Amino acid sequence: MPRIVLEQVRKSYGAVEVLHPIDLKLNDGEFTVLVGPSGCGKSTTLRILAGLETLSGGEIYFDDKPISALDPKERDIAMVFQDYALYPHMNIAKNMSFALRLAKVPKAEITEKVQRVSKLLNINHLLDRKPAELSGGQRQRVAMGRAMVRDASTFLFDEPLSNLDAKLRAKLRTELAEMRDTIDKNMIYVTHDQVEAMTLGDRIVVMSDGRIQQQGTPEELFKSPINRFVAGFIGSPTMNFMAGTLTEANGQLWVQGDGCRLPLSAEQASRLKTFKGADVDIGLRPSSITDDVSRGAPIELRVVVSEYLGAQTVLVTRCGGTELQVEMSSAGRFAAGQTRTFGVVTDELMIFDRDSGLRL
Amino acid sequence: MQIARINRLTPYFFLAPAIIVMAVALLYPIGYMVWASFLDWNPSQRIGEADFVGLRNYAKLLNDAAFLESFWVTVKFAAVVVVLEMILGVGLAMLLDRQLRGMTLLRTIFILPMMIAPIVVGLMWRYMYHPSVGLFNRTLKSFGLEPVPWLSDGTWAFASIVIADIWQWTPFIFILSLAALQSLPRSAMEAARIDGASGWQLIWFIKLPLMLPVLIVTALLRLIDAFKVLEVILVMTNGGPGLSTEILALRISRTASEFRELGTAAAMSNLLLILLMALTLAMFTYTKISEARAARLRAAASKDH
């Protein structure tokens, strides 16, 4: 499998630059997820990789070989599309074998491959049907099967699950995760759903506004986001942000927010000393606030709504004028309108520069 | 209930004016024509004075060499122009289905011939085909080539009317094909490119099969039209030389006005009408079948997940 390198890849339509020069290295055999809100350039990046869009500048290398001038068919890639992109006039077997038939692979070999892959994906009873006769989930499986039959070295997925209902999406996500472990290929997966990104990706590339914000393992992105955007994008429920300032009192560094004051840990304090007096945004994960006051710095919150989700409860609370979400494991003890003290695990606090959004 | 009945009848009241207009403007003339085809009717007589001859007009037609020749010319003309126009129109659509500067203007220019009145088209081509001052022969002459008897030789005249018809009606197929092409699913095409299809393979394995329903209906529409063609040929050759370009519509009009045999002309019209109805029915059947198939596929998909 080739190691894929994007070097200063740029894309513009007329005067509009949709992809600012991006650099990206994808390691051999890795499952990479490009994630970001719509319009962030992730799909464009994937389509440029596939050769469906030309790049406006820069170069892509597969194993040090520049490929931007090559046709899609010369790139040894297979792609799964959001709307499945099956050929409506061919039955499933023909859909899956189209590439092989074009490549003049012997008939017996085609039949064998289609059989094997369709069994693997549990679609072997559908081979004689037309795509219109299948449900969304089945079509998506066929689209994956069509890519797998190809034996290409690199698989591209363009939001393959986003047209499915929630239950089916979760099921296919699990199947994809299994597939990831059994198939040793480069896989590049585009999604706007951070849950998909977190569960599937060996490595996640977070994009926004045509730029790569950060890349790393799911854990790296969750635990040490480099800026406010990544922090807010990764994690569910999303991180709470509160405007504040860094102050010093009693030989201790604090963040003063609207209606609360939280002490910083010694480790954070040594890092943030130089920013004393700066305007910052305080980032607080909903899971970093607990009802166990002994576990953290006290904070007074007024419960606005209590959303019972079964195993967990999400409380929507107010601290001064700021809305904060709190994730609780237990349910039912927090009536709306009640004000009470929670504990903030200050080690997990994140401080961002107000203007640049960078994590301090 | 009185009111319920009136409510049920309401749609028919609304439809009534249209039905009356249809009956007067369409069914009455057709009925008149069918009746006339059973008569030995001369234009100087009133229809009531004509003799009833039963099916004799039809029987006569089947043994009339000139009519059969006309019929053959019409079938040949329709087949040749529709085949050539389909190839050219679809080919042009494939070529012009892309984002290029000025393409909108180019497309508009392409469909202009269709908008010109047939009589004008006929006159225009007659002048261009003129043996001495026409554009074609003057051009040939300037290259030092022999002039071509465009409209004065039977074979050339047939070719000439075919060329004029292709010029006028290829745009019709072009715009319908282009619309069909542009409504094809983009991503299926992209998937085929990734699957390794070359440009020709893309056309042959993906685009044409997906366009097929539209192409079939377009071809049938054109065929129906080609059987009815009259004005352009009337102006260009008036059926000549000999019977080489005398299509049915022309034969009918000559039978009625020159030979003064209204009954025979009516019988010919009926035969043409039957032929056209068969084509129209074929078209409706085709669309009905494809709709039924689509419905069946949808039902199958929703049944099983």
Coordinates of all heavy atoms in Angstrom, one line a residue, chain A residues 172-183 200:
Chain A
L172 N -24.0 -0.2 10.9 CA -23.0 -0.3 9.9 C -21.7 0.3 10.4 O -20.6 -0.1 9.9 CB -23.5 0.5 8.6 CG -24.4 -0.3 7.8 CD1 -25.0 0.6 6.6 CD2 -23.7 -1.5 7.2
R173 N -21.7 1.2 11.3 CA -20.5 1.8 11.9 C -19.7 0.7 12.5 O -18.5 0.6 12.4 CB -20.9 2.9 12.9 CG -19.7 3.8 13.2 CD -20.2 4.9 14.1 NE -20.7 4.5 15.3 CZ -21.7 5.1 16.0 NH1 -22.3 6.1 15.5 NH2 -22.2 4.6 17.1
T174 N -20.4 -0.2 13.3 CA -19.7 -1.3 13.9 C -19.1 -2.2 12.9 O -18.0 -2.7 13.0 CB -20.8 -2.1 14.8 OG1 -21.6 -1.1 15.5 CG2 -20.1 -3.0 15.8
E175 N -19.9 -2.5 11.8 CA -19.4 -3.4 10.8 C -18.2 -2.8 10.2 O -17.2 -3.5 9.9 CB -20.5 -3.7 9.8 CG -21.6 -4.6 10.3 CD -22.7 -4.8 9.3 OE1 -22.4 -4.6 8.1 OE2 -23.7 -5.3 9.7
L176 N -18.2 -1.5 9.9 CA -17.0 -0.8 9.3 C -15.8 -1.0 10.2 O -14.7 -1.2 9.8 CB -17.3 0.6 9.1 CG -17.8 1.0 7.7 CD1 -18.2 2.5 7.7 CD2 -16.6 0.8 6.7
A177 N -16.1 -0.8 11.5 CA -15.0 -0.9 12.5 C -14.4 -2.3 12.5 O -13.1 -2.4 12.5 CB -15.5 -0.6 13.9
E178 N -15.2 -3.3 12.3 CA -14.7 -4.7 12.2 C -13.9 -4.8 10.9 O -12.8 -5.4 10.9 CB -15.9 -5.7 12.1 CG -16.4 -6.1 13.5 CD -17.6 -7.0 13.3 OE1 -17.6 -7.9 12.4 OE2 -18.6 -6.8 14.0
M179 N -14.5 -4.3 9.8 CA -13.8 -4.4 8.5 C -12.4 -3.7 8.6 O -11.5 -4.2 8.0 CB -14.7 -3.7 7.5 CG -14.5 -4.0 6.1 SD -15.8 -3.3 5.1 CE -14.9 -2.0 4.3
R180 N -12.4 -2.6 9.3 CA -11.1 -1.9 9.4 C -10.0 -2.8 10.0 O -8.9 -2.8 9.5 CB -11.3 -0.7 10.3 CG -10.1 0.1 10.7 CD -10.3 1.0 11.8 NE -10.6 0.3 13.0 CZ -10.9 0.9 14.2 NH1 -10.9 2.2 14.3 NH2 -11.2 0.2 15.2
D181 N -10.4 -3.7 10.9 CA -9.4 -4.5 11.6 C -9.0 -5.7 10.7 O -7.9 -6.2 10.8 CB -9.9 -5.0 12.9 CG -10.1 -3.8 13.9 OD1 -9.5 -2.8 13.6 OD2 -11.0 -3.9 14.8
T182 N -10.0 -6.2 9.8 CA -9.7 -7.3 9.1 C -9.0 -7.0 7.7 O -8.3 -7.8 7.2 CB -10.9 -8.2 8.8 OG1 -11.9 -7.3 8.3 CG2 -11.5 -8.8 10.1
I183 N -9.3 -5.9 7.2 CA -8.8 -5.5 5.9 C -7.6 -4.6 6.0 O -7.7 -3.5 6.7 CB -9.8 -4.8 5.0 CG1 -11.0 -5.8 4.8 CG2 -9.2 -4.6 3.6 CD1 -12.1 -5.1 4.1
L200 N -14.1 5.2 14.5 CA -13.5 4.5 13.4 C -12.0 4.9 13.2 O -11.2 4.0 12.8 CB -14.2 4.8 12.1 CG -15.6 4.2 12.0 CD1 -16.3 4.8 10.7 CD2 -15.6 2.7 11.9

